[in-house]
Amino acid sequence: MQKLSKSIGFMGSGNMASAIIAGMLQSGQQEMALKVYDLNGNHYQTLAAQGVETCSSPDGLAAVDCLILAVKPQNMSDALDALRGKLDRKAVVVSIAAGITEPYIQKKLGFDAKVVLVMPNTPLLLGRGATAMSKGRQTSEQEFSFVQSLFRLSGIVEVISTDKMNEVIALNGSSPAFIYLFAKGFLQFAQHNGIEAGTALRLFSASLEGAAKMMTDS
């Protein structure tokens, strides 16, 4: 695999940020310098033990080549305010927050930032994510390709147009939750009929995987 020599900053250290970082570390991308800032210091101890630089303020992310905004949509305004006037204008700004638009990010930062919008999903935590993304107007093809390569370390990536980023939330962002609810009904049926829980889970999960393989390959 080609080495990706860049400095990557994370605003937020929750589950998604940790999953993306894990993908980078497990891929052997030692040439990437990883930094993280989180208001509450969540996961700092674990990340520091893995060689990730933990920052005491947003200023620590000012000079990164790529900044991943890994905060919830309701916290995005405060996160961008904390970066305004500090972030290197050459940095590529990646948002994984649903519903946050390129113009909103640029307005909050105060300049025409290079933006990439990303919609990942929770299987990213296991390296089996399905990520949709779109390229901002100021972002070059080379920069966009780099961001794609980061997320491919934790699953598949599909490129879509920016005007479909809201619609795609249901397709890959929310769909795992619906599948879990669907599975719950089948497993409750198995329990009600005296089938051992582990057996039922393995059978149903293998059926899901097999059905998915039939859909993609048949």
Side-chain angles (χ1 to χ4, degrees), residues 89-115:
R89 295 193 175 203
K90 295 180 181 179
V92 178
V93 181
V94 180
S95 171
I96 67 170
I100 301 299
T101 66
E102 177 188 15
Y104 178 83
I105 292 171
Q106 292 173 332
K107 181 178 180 180
K108 294 291 287 185
L109 289 176
F111 67 98
D112 287 338
K114 303 174 181 181
V115 175

mmCIF file with all atom_site columns, all heavy atoms in Angstrom, residues 89-115:
data_model
loop_
_atom_site.group_PDB
_atom_site.id
_atom_site.type_symbol
_atom_site.label_atom_id
_atom_site.label_alt_id
_atom_site.label_comp_id
_atom_site.label_asym_id
_atom_site.label_entity_id
_atom_site.label_seq_id
_atom_site.pdbx_PDB_ins_code
_atom_site.Cartn_x
_atom_site.Cartn_y
_atom_site.Cartn_z
_atom_site.occupancy
_atom_site.B_iso_or_equiv
_atom_site.pdbx_formal_charge
_atom_site.auth_seq_id
_atom_site.auth_comp_id
_atom_site.auth_asym_id
_atom_site.auth_atom_id
_atom_site.pdbx_PDB_model_num
ATOM 1   N N   . ARG A 1 89  ? -5.409  27.822 5.795  1.00 0.00 ? 89  ARG A N   1
ATOM 2   C CA  . ARG A 1 89  ? -6.361  27.875 4.689  1.00 0.00 ? 89  ARG A CA  1
ATOM 3   C C   . ARG A 1 89  ? -6.072  26.839 3.608  1.00 0.00 ? 89  ARG A C   1
ATOM 4   O O   . ARG A 1 89  ? -6.905  26.622 2.728  1.00 0.00 ? 89  ARG A O   1
ATOM 5   C CB  . ARG A 1 89  ? -6.393  29.280 4.083  1.00 0.00 ? 89  ARG A CB  1
ATOM 6   C CG  . ARG A 1 89  ? -6.922  30.323 5.060  1.00 0.00 ? 89  ARG A CG  1
ATOM 7   C CD  . ARG A 1 89  ? -7.256  31.616 4.384  1.00 0.00 ? 89  ARG A CD  1
ATOM 8   N NE  . ARG A 1 89  ? -7.869  32.564 5.324  1.00 0.00 ? 89  ARG A NE  1
ATOM 9   C CZ  . ARG A 1 89  ? -8.636  33.575 4.955  1.00 0.00 ? 89  ARG A CZ  1
ATOM 10  N NH1 . ARG A 1 89  ? -8.891  33.782 3.670  1.00 0.00 ? 89  ARG A NH1 1
ATOM 11  N NH2 . ARG A 1 89  ? -9.159  34.383 5.862  1.00 0.00 ? 89  ARG A NH2 1
ATOM 12  N N   . LYS A 1 90  ? -4.926  26.195 3.669  1.00 0.00 ? 90  LYS A N   1
ATOM 13  C CA  . LYS A 1 90  ? -4.611  25.135 2.716  1.00 0.00 ? 90  LYS A CA  1
ATOM 14  C C   . LYS A 1 90  ? -5.171  23.784 3.164  1.00 0.00 ? 90  LYS A C   1
ATOM 15  O O   . LYS A 1 90  ? -5.155  22.820 2.387  1.00 0.00 ? 90  LYS A O   1
ATOM 16  C CB  . LYS A 1 90  ? -3.095  25.029 2.537  1.00 0.00 ? 90  LYS A CB  1
ATOM 17  C CG  . LYS A 1 90  ? -2.448  26.256 1.898  1.00 0.00 ? 90  LYS A CG  1
ATOM 18  C CD  . LYS A 1 90  ? -0.941  26.052 1.761  1.00 0.00 ? 90  LYS A CD  1
ATOM 19  C CE  . LYS A 1 90  ? -0.280  27.288 1.155  1.00 0.00 ? 90  LYS A CE  1
ATOM 20  N NZ  . LYS A 1 90  ? 1.198   27.112 1.046  1.00 0.00 ? 90  LYS A NZ  1
ATOM 21  N N   . ALA A 1 91  ? -5.634  23.714 4.390  1.00 0.00 ? 91  ALA A N   1
ATOM 22  C CA  . ALA A 1 91  ? -6.122  22.442 4.932  1.00 0.00 ? 91  ALA A CA  1
ATOM 23  C C   . ALA A 1 91  ? -7.413  22.010 4.247  1.00 0.00 ? 91  ALA A C   1
ATOM 24  O O   . ALA A 1 91  ? -8.253  22.842 3.880  1.00 0.00 ? 91  ALA A O   1
ATOM 25  C CB  . ALA A 1 91  ? -6.356  22.563 6.430  1.00 0.00 ? 91  ALA A CB  1
ATOM 26  N N   . VAL A 1 92  ? -7.575  20.697 4.101  1.00 0.00 ? 92  VAL A N   1
ATOM 27  C CA  . VAL A 1 92  ? -8.835  20.130 3.616  1.00 0.00 ? 92  VAL A CA  1
ATOM 28  C C   . VAL A 1 92  ? -9.688  19.844 4.846  1.00 0.00 ? 92  VAL A C   1
ATOM 29  O O   . VAL A 1 92  ? -9.241  19.171 5.781  1.00 0.00 ? 92  VAL A O   1
ATOM 30  C CB  . VAL A 1 92  ? -8.604  18.838 2.818  1.00 0.00 ? 92  VAL A CB  1
ATOM 31  C CG1 . VAL A 1 92  ? -9.933  18.237 2.373  1.00 0.00 ? 92  VAL A CG1 1
ATOM 32  C CG2 . VAL A 1 92  ? -7.710  19.113 1.616  1.00 0.00 ? 92  VAL A CG2 1
ATOM 33  N N   . VAL A 1 93  ? -10.911 20.364 4.838  1.00 0.00 ? 93  VAL A N   1
ATOM 34  C CA  . VAL A 1 93  ? -11.811 20.226 5.989  1.00 0.00 ? 93  VAL A CA  1
ATOM 35  C C   . VAL A 1 93  ? -12.855 19.161 5.674  1.00 0.00 ? 93  VAL A C   1
ATOM 36  O O   . VAL A 1 93  ? -13.641 19.305 4.737  1.00 0.00 ? 93  VAL A O   1
ATOM 37  C CB  . VAL A 1 93  ? -12.497 21.566 6.323  1.00 0.00 ? 93  VAL A CB  1
ATOM 38  C CG1 . VAL A 1 93  ? -13.409 21.409 7.536  1.00 0.00 ? 93  VAL A CG1 1
ATOM 39  C CG2 . VAL A 1 93  ? -11.447 22.639 6.580  1.00 0.00 ? 93  VAL A CG2 1
ATOM 40  N N   . VAL A 1 94  ? -12.852 18.090 6.451  1.00 0.00 ? 94  VAL A N   1
ATOM 41  C CA  . VAL A 1 94  ? -13.743 16.956 6.233  1.00 0.00 ? 94  VAL A CA  1
ATOM 42  C C   . VAL A 1 94  ? -14.788 16.916 7.334  1.00 0.00 ? 94  VAL A C   1
ATOM 43  O O   . VAL A 1 94  ? -14.450 16.856 8.515  1.00 0.00 ? 94  VAL A O   1
ATOM 44  C CB  . VAL A 1 94  ? -12.947 15.628 6.235  1.00 0.00 ? 94  VAL A CB  1
ATOM 45  C CG1 . VAL A 1 94  ? -13.881 14.445 6.006  1.00 0.00 ? 94  VAL A CG1 1
ATOM 46  C CG2 . VAL A 1 94  ? -11.847 15.667 5.183  1.00 0.00 ? 94  VAL A CG2 1
ATOM 47  N N   . SER A 1 95  ? -16.050 16.949 6.954  1.00 0.00 ? 95  SER A N   1
ATOM 48  C CA  . SER A 1 95  ? -17.129 16.875 7.941  1.00 0.00 ? 95  SER A CA  1
ATOM 49  C C   . SER A 1 95  ? -17.848 15.542 7.841  1.00 0.00 ? 95  SER A C   1
ATOM 50  O O   . SER A 1 95  ? -18.249 15.134 6.761  1.00 0.00 ? 95  SER A O   1
ATOM 51  C CB  . SER A 1 95  ? -18.139 18.001 7.715  1.00 0.00 ? 95  SER A CB  1
ATOM 52  O OG  . SER A 1 95  ? -19.291 17.804 8.533  1.00 0.00 ? 95  SER A OG  1
ATOM 53  N N   . ILE A 1 96  ? -17.998 14.861 8.991  1.00 0.00 ? 96  ILE A N   1
ATOM 54  C CA  . ILE A 1 96  ? -18.769 13.617 9.012  1.00 0.00 ? 96  ILE A CA  1
ATOM 55  C C   . ILE A 1 96  ? -20.117 13.830 9.707  1.00 0.00 ? 96  ILE A C   1
ATOM 56  O O   . ILE A 1 96  ? -20.785 12.860 10.058 1.00 0.00 ? 96  ILE A O   1
ATOM 57  C CB  . ILE A 1 96  ? -17.987 12.463 9.677  1.00 0.00 ? 96  ILE A CB  1
ATOM 58  C CG1 . ILE A 1 96  ? -17.792 12.726 11.174 1.00 0.00 ? 96  ILE A CG1 1
ATOM 59  C CG2 . ILE A 1 96  ? -16.658 12.242 8.988  1.00 0.00 ? 96  ILE A CG2 1
ATOM 60  C CD1 . ILE A 1 96  ? -17.244 11.523 11.914 1.00 0.00 ? 96  ILE A CD1 1
ATOM 61  N N   . ALA A 1 97  ? -20.495 15.089 9.894  1.00 0.00 ? 97  ALA A N   1
ATOM 62  C CA  . ALA A 1 97  ? -21.749 15.410 10.580 1.00 0.00 ? 97  ALA A CA  1
ATOM 63  C C   . ALA A 1 97  ? -22.892 15.509 9.579  1.00 0.00 ? 97  ALA A C   1
ATOM 64  O O   . ALA A 1 97  ? -22.823 16.286 8.620  1.00 0.00 ? 97  ALA A O   1
ATOM 65  C CB  . ALA A 1 97  ? -21.621 16.718 11.358 1.00 0.00 ? 97  ALA A CB  1
ATOM 66  N N   . ALA A 1 98  ? -23.931 14.741 9.802  1.00 0.00 ? 98  ALA A N   1
ATOM 67  C CA  . ALA A 1 98  ? -25.085 14.726 8.896  1.00 0.00 ? 98  ALA A CA  1
ATOM 68  C C   . ALA A 1 98  ? -25.741 16.098 8.824  1.00 0.00 ? 98  ALA A C   1
ATOM 69  O O   . ALA A 1 98  ? -25.963 16.754 9.843  1.00 0.00 ? 98  ALA A O   1
ATOM 70  C CB  . ALA A 1 98  ? -26.097 13.695 9.368  1.00 0.00 ? 98  ALA A CB  1
ATOM 71  N N   . GLY A 1 99  ? -26.063 16.512 7.596  1.00 0.00 ? 99  GLY A N   1
ATOM 72  C CA  . GLY A 1 99  ? -26.827 17.733 7.394  1.00 0.00 ? 99  GLY A CA  1
ATOM 73  C C   . GLY A 1 99  ? -26.024 19.016 7.377  1.00 0.00 ? 99  GLY A C   1
ATOM 74  O O   . GLY A 1 99  ? -26.571 20.087 7.101  1.00 0.00 ? 99  GLY A O   1
ATOM 75  N N   . ILE A 1 100 ? -24.730 18.960 7.672  1.00 0.00 ? 100 ILE A N   1
ATOM 76  C CA  . ILE A 1 100 ? -23.892 20.153 7.664  1.00 0.00 ? 100 ILE A CA  1
ATOM 77  C C   . ILE A 1 100 ? -23.408 20.405 6.241  1.00 0.00 ? 100 ILE A C   1
ATOM 78  O O   . ILE A 1 100 ? -22.831 19.518 5.603  1.00 0.00 ? 100 ILE A O   1
ATOM 79  C CB  . ILE A 1 100 ? -22.692 20.004 8.624  1.00 0.00 ? 100 ILE A CB  1
ATOM 80  C CG1 . ILE A 1 100 ? -23.181 19.750 10.056 1.00 0.00 ? 100 ILE A CG1 1
ATOM 81  C CG2 . ILE A 1 100 ? -21.808 21.234 8.572  1.00 0.00 ? 100 ILE A CG2 1
ATOM 82  C CD1 . ILE A 1 100 ? -24.032 20.848 10.639 1.00 0.00 ? 100 ILE A CD1 1
ATOM 83  N N   . THR A 1 101 ? -23.621 21.608 5.719  1.00 0.00 ? 101 THR A N   1
ATOM 84  C CA  . THR A 1 101 ? -23.316 21.905 4.323  1.00 0.00 ? 101 THR A CA  1
ATOM 85  C C   . THR A 1 101 ? -21.961 22.597 4.157  1.00 0.00 ? 101 THR A C   1
ATOM 86  O O   . THR A 1 101 ? -21.408 23.162 5.107  1.00 0.00 ? 101 THR A O   1
ATOM 87  C CB  . THR A 1 101 ? -24.394 22.804 3.714  1.00 0.00 ? 101 THR A CB  1
ATOM 88  O OG1 . THR A 1 101 ? -24.360 24.087 4.369  1.00 0.00 ? 101 THR A OG1 1
ATOM 89  C CG2 . THR A 1 101 ? -25.788 22.196 3.883  1.00 0.00 ? 101 THR A CG2 1
ATOM 90  N N   . GLU A 1 102 ? -21.475 22.568 2.927  1.00 0.00 ? 102 GLU A N   1
ATOM 91  C CA  . GLU A 1 102 ? -20.226 23.259 2.596  1.00 0.00 ? 102 GLU A CA  1
ATOM 92  C C   . GLU A 1 102 ? -20.314 24.767 2.848  1.00 0.00 ? 102 GLU A C   1
ATOM 93  O O   . GLU A 1 102 ? -19.419 25.329 3.508  1.00 0.00 ? 102 GLU A O   1
ATOM 94  C CB  . GLU A 1 102 ? -19.862 22.975 1.136  1.00 0.00 ? 102 GLU A CB  1
ATOM 95  C CG  . GLU A 1 102 ? -18.611 23.706 0.671  1.00 0.00 ? 102 GLU A CG  1
ATOM 96  C CD  . GLU A 1 102 ? -18.388 23.553 -0.829 1.00 0.00 ? 102 GLU A CD  1
ATOM 97  O OE1 . GLU A 1 102 ? -19.320 23.128 -1.543 1.00 0.00 ? 102 GLU A OE1 1
ATOM 98  O OE2 . GLU A 1 102 ? -17.266 23.863 -1.280 1.00 0.00 ? 102 GLU A OE2 1
ATOM 99  N N   . PRO A 1 103 ? -21.372 25.471 2.378  1.00 0.00 ? 103 PRO A N   1
ATOM 100 C CA  . PRO A 1 103 ? -21.465 26.913 2.649  1.00 0.00 ? 103 PRO A CA  1
ATOM 101 C C   . PRO A 1 103 ? -21.480 27.234 4.149  1.00 0.00 ? 103 PRO A C   1
ATOM 102 O O   . PRO A 1 103 ? -20.910 28.247 4.574  1.00 0.00 ? 103 PRO A O   1
ATOM 103 C CB  . PRO A 1 103 ? -22.781 27.315 1.981  1.00 0.00 ? 103 PRO A CB  1
ATOM 104 C CG  . PRO A 1 103 ? -22.980 26.309 0.909  1.00 0.00 ? 103 PRO A CG  1
ATOM 105 C CD  . PRO A 1 103 ? -22.462 25.019 1.483  1.00 0.00 ? 103 PRO A CD  1
ATOM 106 N N   . TYR A 1 104 ? -22.125 26.393 4.942  1.00 0.00 ? 104 TYR A N   1
ATOM 107 C CA  . TYR A 1 104 ? -22.180 26.637 6.394  1.00 0.00 ? 104 TYR A CA  1
ATOM 108 C C   . TYR A 1 104 ? -20.768 26.565 6.988  1.00 0.00 ? 104 TYR A C   1
ATOM 109 O O   . TYR A 1 104 ? -20.381 27.436 7.785  1.00 0.00 ? 104 TYR A O   1
ATOM 110 C CB  . TYR A 1 104 ? -23.081 25.601 7.056  1.00 0.00 ? 104 TYR A CB  1
ATOM 111 C CG  . TYR A 1 104 ? -23.159 25.730 8.559  1.00 0.00 ? 104 TYR A CG  1
ATOM 112 C CD1 . TYR A 1 104 ? -24.030 26.646 9.147  1.00 0.00 ? 104 TYR A CD1 1
ATOM 113 C CD2 . TYR A 1 104 ? -22.359 24.949 9.385  1.00 0.00 ? 104 TYR A CD2 1
ATOM 114 C CE1 . TYR A 1 104 ? -24.097 26.772 10.526 1.00 0.00 ? 104 TYR A CE1 1
ATOM 115 C CE2 . TYR A 1 104 ? -22.418 25.069 10.762 1.00 0.00 ? 104 TYR A CE2 1
ATOM 116 C CZ  . TYR A 1 104 ? -23.296 25.981 11.332 1.00 0.00 ? 104 TYR A CZ  1
ATOM 117 O OH  . TYR A 1 104 ? -23.353 26.111 12.701 1.00 0.00 ? 104 TYR A OH  1
ATOM 118 N N   . ILE A 1 105 ? -20.005 25.541 6.608  1.00 0.00 ? 105 ILE A N   1
ATOM 119 C CA  . ILE A 1 105 ? -18.651 25.392 7.128  1.00 0.00 ? 105 ILE A CA  1
ATOM 120 C C   . ILE A 1 105 ? -17.784 26.580 6.711  1.00 0.00 ? 105 ILE A C   1
ATOM 121 O O   . ILE A 1 105 ? -17.047 27.154 7.530  1.00 0.00 ? 105 ILE A O   1
ATOM 122 C CB  . ILE A 1 105 ? -18.030 24.070 6.621  1.00 0.00 ? 105 ILE A CB  1
ATOM 123 C CG1 . ILE A 1 105 ? -18.768 22.878 7.248  1.00 0.00 ? 105 ILE A CG1 1
ATOM 124 C CG2 . ILE A 1 105 ? -16.539 24.004 6.946  1.00 0.00 ? 105 ILE A CG2 1
ATOM 125 C CD1 . ILE A 1 105 ? -18.381 21.532 6.663  1.00 0.00 ? 105 ILE A CD1 1
ATOM 126 N N   . GLN A 1 106 ? -17.885 26.975 5.461  1.00 0.00 ? 106 GLN A N   1
ATOM 127 C CA  . GLN A 1 106 ? -17.081 28.090 4.966  1.00 0.00 ? 106 GLN A CA  1
ATOM 128 C C   . GLN A 1 106 ? -17.455 29.400 5.656  1.00 0.00 ? 106 GLN A C   1
ATOM 129 O O   . GLN A 1 106 ? -16.578 30.202 6.009  1.00 0.00 ? 106 GLN A O   1
ATOM 130 C CB  . GLN A 1 106 ? -17.244 28.211 3.453  1.00 0.00 ? 106 GLN A CB  1
ATOM 131 C CG  . GLN A 1 106 ? -16.632 27.037 2.697  1.00 0.00 ? 106 GLN A CG  1
ATOM 132 C CD  . GLN A 1 106 ? -16.935 27.066 1.213  1.00 0.00 ? 106 GLN A CD  1
ATOM 133 O OE1 . GLN A 1 106 ? -17.961 27.611 0.801  1.00 0.00 ? 106 GLN A OE1 1
ATOM 134 N NE2 . GLN A 1 106 ? -16.071 26.471 0.395  1.00 0.00 ? 106 GLN A NE2 1
ATOM 135 N N   . LYS A 1 107 ? -18.733 29.622 5.870  1.00 0.00 ? 107 LYS A N   1
ATOM 136 C CA  . LYS A 1 107 ? -19.179 30.838 6.543  1.00 0.00 ? 107 LYS A CA  1
ATOM 137 C C   . LYS A 1 107 ? -18.675 30.889 7.977  1.00 0.00 ? 107 LYS A C   1
ATOM 138 O O   . LYS A 1 107 ? -18.198 31.929 8.444  1.00 0.00 ? 107 LYS A O   1
ATOM 139 C CB  . LYS A 1 107 ? -20.705 30.920 6.517  1.00 0.00 ? 107 LYS A CB  1
ATOM 140 C CG  . LYS A 1 107 ? -21.263 32.180 7.177  1.00 0.00 ? 107 LYS A CG  1
ATOM 141 C CD  . LYS A 1 107 ? -22.786 32.224 7.082  1.00 0.00 ? 107 LYS A CD  1
ATOM 142 C CE  . LYS A 1 107 ? -23.319 33.493 7.761  1.00 0.00 ? 107 LYS A CE  1
ATOM 143 N NZ  . LYS A 1 107 ? -24.806 33.556 7.684  1.00 0.00 ? 107 LYS A NZ  1
ATOM 144 N N   . LYS A 1 108 ? -18.756 29.760 8.671  1.00 0.00 ? 108 LYS A N   1
ATOM 145 C CA  . LYS A 1 108 ? -18.325 29.730 10.063 1.00 0.00 ? 108 LYS A CA  1
ATOM 146 C C   . LYS A 1 108 ? -16.811 29.894 10.196 1.00 0.00 ? 108 LYS A C   1
ATOM 147 O O   . LYS A 1 108 ? -16.325 30.515 11.141 1.00 0.00 ? 108 LYS A O   1
ATOM 148 C CB  . LYS A 1 108 ? -18.763 28.422 10.718 1.00 0.00 ? 108 LYS A CB  1
ATOM 149 C CG  . LYS A 1 108 ? -20.262 28.256 10.859 1.00 0.00 ? 108 LYS A CG  1
ATOM 150 C CD  . LYS A 1 108 ? -20.858 29.226 11.892 1.00 0.00 ? 108 LYS A CD  1
ATOM 151 C CE  . LYS A 1 108 ? -20.520 28.820 13.303 1.00 0.00 ? 108 LYS A CE  1
ATOM 152 N NZ  . LYS A 1 108 ? -21.181 29.689 14.304 1.00 0.00 ? 108 LYS A NZ  1
ATOM 153 N N   . LEU A 1 109 ? -16.051 29.347 9.228  1.00 0.00 ? 109 LEU A N   1
ATOM 154 C CA  . LEU A 1 109 ? -14.594 29.472 9.276  1.00 0.00 ? 109 LEU A CA  1
ATOM 155 C C   . LEU A 1 109 ? -14.119 30.835 8.777  1.00 0.00 ? 109 LEU A C   1
ATOM 156 O O   . LEU A 1 109 ? -13.012 31.265 9.092  1.00 0.00 ? 109 LEU A O   1
ATOM 157 C CB  . LEU A 1 109 ? -13.939 28.371 8.442  1.00 0.00 ? 109 LEU A CB  1
ATOM 158 C CG  . LEU A 1 109 ? -14.021 26.951 9.022  1.00 0.00 ? 109 LEU A CG  1
ATOM 159 C CD1 . LEU A 1 109 ? -13.426 25.949 8.029  1.00 0.00 ? 109 LEU A CD1 1
ATOM 160 C CD2 . LEU A 1 109 ? -13.309 26.850 10.362 1.00 0.00 ? 109 LEU A CD2 1
ATOM 161 N N   . GLY A 1 110 ? -14.947 31.503 7.970  1.00 0.00 ? 110 GLY A N   1
ATOM 162 C CA  . GLY A 1 110 ? -14.607 32.836 7.506  1.00 0.00 ? 110 GLY A CA  1
ATOM 163 C C   . GLY A 1 110 ? -13.807 32.880 6.216  1.00 0.00 ? 110 GLY A C   1
ATOM 164 O O   . GLY A 1 110 ? -13.270 33.934 5.854  1.00 0.00 ? 110 GLY A O   1
ATOM 165 N N   . PHE A 1 111 ? -13.724 31.758 5.502  1.00 0.00 ? 111 PHE A N   1
ATOM 166 C CA  . PHE A 1 111 ? -13.034 31.750 4.202  1.00 0.00 ? 111 PHE A CA  1
ATOM 167 C C   . PHE A 1 111 ? -13.545 30.576 3.374  1.00 0.00 ? 111 PHE A C   1
ATOM 168 O O   . PHE A 1 111 ? -14.232 29.689 3.894  1.00 0.00 ? 111 PHE A O   1
ATOM 169 C CB  . PHE A 1 111 ? -11.518 31.674 4.378  1.00 0.00 ? 111 PHE A CB  1
ATOM 170 C CG  . PHE A 1 111 ? -11.005 30.388 4.961  1.00 0.00 ? 111 PHE A CG  1
ATOM 171 C CD1 . PHE A 1 111 ? -10.510 29.382 4.140  1.00 0.00 ? 111 PHE A CD1 1
ATOM 172 C CD2 . PHE A 1 111 ? -10.996 30.171 6.335  1.00 0.00 ? 111 PHE A CD2 1
ATOM 173 C CE1 . PHE A 1 111 ? -10.029 28.196 4.671  1.00 0.00 ? 111 PHE A CE1 1
ATOM 174 C CE2 . PHE A 1 111 ? -10.498 28.996 6.883  1.00 0.00 ? 111 PHE A CE2 1
ATOM 175 C CZ  . PHE A 1 111 ? -10.024 28.000 6.043  1.00 0.00 ? 111 PHE A CZ  1
ATOM 176 N N   . ASP A 1 112 ? -13.201 30.576 2.079  1.00 0.00 ? 112 ASP A N   1
ATOM 177 C CA  . ASP A 1 112 ? -13.655 29.520 1.169  1.00 0.00 ? 112 ASP A CA  1
ATOM 178 C C   . ASP A 1 112 ? -12.812 28.263 1.359  1.00 0.00 ? 112 ASP A C   1
ATOM 179 O O   . ASP A 1 112 ? -11.916 27.950 0.566  1.00 0.00 ? 112 ASP A O   1
ATOM 180 C CB  . ASP A 1 112 ? -13.579 29.991 -0.290 1.00 0.00 ? 112 ASP A CB  1
ATOM 181 C CG  . ASP A 1 112 ? -14.668 30.994 -0.622 1.00 0.00 ? 112 ASP A CG  1
ATOM 182 O OD1 . ASP A 1 112 ? -15.690 31.011 0.092  1.00 0.00 ? 112 ASP A OD1 1
ATOM 183 O OD2 . ASP A 1 112 ? -14.497 31.753 -1.588 1.00 0.00 ? 112 ASP A OD2 1
ATOM 184 N N   . ALA A 1 113 ? -13.105 27.557 2.416  1.00 0.00 ? 113 ALA A N   1
ATOM 185 C CA  . ALA A 1 113 ? -12.326 26.375 2.772  1.00 0.00 ? 113 ALA A CA  1
ATOM 186 C C   . ALA A 1 113 ? -12.515 25.255 1.756  1.00 0.00 ? 113 ALA A C   1
ATOM 187 O O   . ALA A 1 113 ? -13.534 25.173 1.066  1.00 0.00 ? 113 ALA A O   1
ATOM 188 C CB  . ALA A 1 113 ? -12.739 25.886 4.160  1.00 0.00 ? 113 ALA A CB  1
ATOM 189 N N   . LYS A 1 114 ? -11.512 24.392 1.690  1.00 0.00 ? 114 LYS A N   1
ATOM 190 C CA  . LYS A 1 114 ? -11.594 23.173 0.883  1.00 0.00 ? 114 LYS A CA  1
ATOM 191 C C   . LYS A 1 114 ? -12.353 22.147 1.709  1.00 0.00 ? 114 LYS A C   1
ATOM 192 O O   . LYS A 1 114 ? -11.863 21.679 2.731  1.00 0.00 ? 114 LYS A O   1
ATOM 193 C CB  . LYS A 1 114 ? -10.195 22.656 0.567  1.00 0.00 ? 114 LYS A CB  1
ATOM 194 C CG  . LYS A 1 114 ? -9.311  23.662 -0.159 1.00 0.00 ? 114 LYS A CG  1
ATOM 195 C CD  . LYS A 1 114 ? -7.896  23.112 -0.287 1.00 0.00 ? 114 LYS A CD  1
ATOM 196 C CE  . LYS A 1 114 ? -6.977  24.097 -0.974 1.00 0.00 ? 114 LYS A CE  1
ATOM 197 N NZ  . LYS A 1 114 ? -5.600  23.546 -1.107 1.00 0.00 ? 114 LYS A NZ  1
ATOM 198 N N   . VAL A 1 115 ? -13.550 21.797 1.258  1.00 0.00 ? 115 VAL A N   1
ATOM 199 C CA  . VAL A 1 115 ? -14.449 20.971 2.066  1.00 0.00 ? 115 VAL A CA  1
ATOM 200 C C   . VAL A 1 115 ? -14.722 19.628 1.389  1.00 0.00 ? 115 VAL A C   1
ATOM 201 O O   . VAL A 1 115 ? -14.843 19.550 0.163  1.00 0.00 ? 115 VAL A O   1
ATOM 202 C CB  . VAL A 1 115 ? -15.786 21.709 2.311  1.00 0.00 ? 115 VAL A CB  1
ATOM 203 C CG1 . VAL A 1 115 ? -16.786 20.818 3.039  1.00 0.00 ? 115 VAL A CG1 1
ATOM 204 C CG2 . VAL A 1 115 ? -15.538 22.988 3.117  1.00 0.00 ? 115 VAL A CG2 1
#
